[in-house]
Amino acid sequence: MIQICLLSFISDFGIRISNFFNEEGLLDLMSMSRARVRHIFSAKGAAFTSSLGAAPQDSWNPKPPALKARFTSPSSWIIIRSMSQSLSKVILHIIFSTKNREPWLDYDMQPRMHAYLATICRDLGTEFVRVGGVADHVHIVTKLPRTLSQAELIEQIKKISSKWIKTIDTRYRGFLWQRGYGAFSVSPSQLDAVLQYVETQQEHHRTRTFHEEFRDLLRRHGVNFDERYVWD
């Protein structure tokens, strides 16, 4: 029985059995029992080696655990909390046309569509928006919301506005936006120039088509494109 206990004790806990013989060379079972209990409750399942009169140490990680920093000053906690915010300012110039460049947005519909596009952007969390365009396409200058990706923002703008215009009149039931889009980042130093460009779309397109304008924007921003698919 003693032999079985010894084997179990050694295999389970790796404790030096020589520590539990008394001065007369007899095995002190009481000390073994206390050590076993100490071992079981000393850590959550970790293996410890023990010697009499010494604190148990982790046999798998002999190095003592690193001290954890503690902040006792309330001001330190306030500083840490204030650094947790996420800040962003990404200004986008978004352009997309109607399907096949059909002139759905006549002079009556243009201001209504532009105002509705601006409302969608604000509802999605943008802090700034300006909309312009002509009968076959729109320009939107806005800040990218911190909680949406660029693709998600544009998808929502197109989907919601397309559903909305179909409810205005039966003649708009066939309305569709093109599947693709263009999106370009705007430097704050260039924002006024871009806004001026969007606000003067009517004058701009007296001499240029959407195709010419879009090609020029892609080239100026160094965007590679395939003419076969860019108008889809």
Side-chain angles (χ1 to χ4, degrees):
M1 183 66 181
I2 294 175
Q3 185 179 7
I4 294 173
C5 291
L6 286 175
L7 291 175
S8 174
F9 198 77
I10 294 170
S11 62
D12 289 348
F13 305 110
I15 296 177
R16 293 173 56 189
I17 198 62
S18 61
N19 292 331
F20 301 102
F21 283 93
N22 59 26
E23 295 179 354
E24 298 176 356
L26 298 176
L27 185 64
D28 189 344
L29 295 179
M30 186 63 70
S31 297
M32 284 183 60
S33 177
R34 286 197 298 268
R36 185 183 181 93
V37 171
R38 239 188 356 259
H39 176 87
I40 292 172
F41 292 99
S42 59
K44 297 179 179 178
F48 286 80
T49 56
S50 176
S51 61
L52 295 180
Q57 294 186 1
D58 189 345
S59 62
W60 297 333
N61 183 18
K63 295 182 179 180
L67 293 176
K68 296 182 179 180
R70 296 181 179 178
F71 296 95
T72 57
S73 171
S75 61
S76 300
W77 176 245
I78 293 172
I79 293 171
I80 294 172
R81 287 291 297 273
S82 66
M83 293 173 63
S84 64
Q85 59 186 325
S86 299
L87 304 174
S88 173
K89 185 176 182 179
V90 180
I91 305 173
L92 294 177
H93 179 192
I94 303 166
I95 308 167
F96 51 83
S97 74
T98 57
K99 184 71 173 179
N100 298 321
R101 268 58 60 196
E102 294 289 337
W104 285 102
L105 308 177
D106 55 27
Y107 286 106
D108 293 330
M109 178 51 64
Q110 272 182 45
R112 297 180 68 183
M113 174 60 81
H114 294 175
Y116 195 71
L117 290 172
T119 299
I120 295 171
C121 290
R122 292 191 182 96
D123 288 345
L124 291 172
T126 64
E127 299 176 4
F128 169 86
V129 61
R130 193 73 56 84
V131 182
V134 290
D136 63 350
H137 71 280
V138 294
H139 293 249
I140 303 173
V141 180
T142 189
K143 287 177 63 177
L144 180 66
R146 187 172 51 82
T147 56
L148 291 176
S149 69
Q150 172 184 291
E152 290 170 334
L153 172 65
I154 299 173
E155 178 186 8
Q156 290 299 312
I157 292 172
K158 292 166 73 174
K159 181 170 68 174
I160 296 172
S161 61
S162 181
K163 288 181 179 180
W164 168 78
I165 194 173
K166 289 180 174 68
T167 66
I168 300 300
D169 195 282
T170 55
R171 59 180 172 153
Y172 294 114
R173 287 180 179 175
F175 178 89
L176 290 170
W177 294 115
Q178 73 169 117
R179 290 199 297 173
Y181 62 86
F184 311 98
S185 60
V186 179
S187 169
S189 63
Q190 297 298 315
L191 179 58
D192 289 342
V194 173
L195 292 177
Q196 178 68 18
Y197 178 80
V198 170
E199 290 171 355
T200 57
Q201 279 288 292
Q202 295 292 341
E203 298 176 11
H204 182 73
H205 284 287
R206 288 174 184 169
T207 57
R208 300 187 76 189
T209 65
F210 170 74
H211 293 78
E212 293 171 330
E213 174 190 48
F214 197 59
R215 287 193 196 99
D216 182 56
L217 285 169
L218 291 171
R219 290 174 182 137
R220 277 196 288 162
H221 287 84
V223 179
N224 296 323
F225 62 95
D226 190 327
E227 190 78 29
R228 296 173 297 173
Y229 309 110
V230 72
W231 310 117
D232 186 13

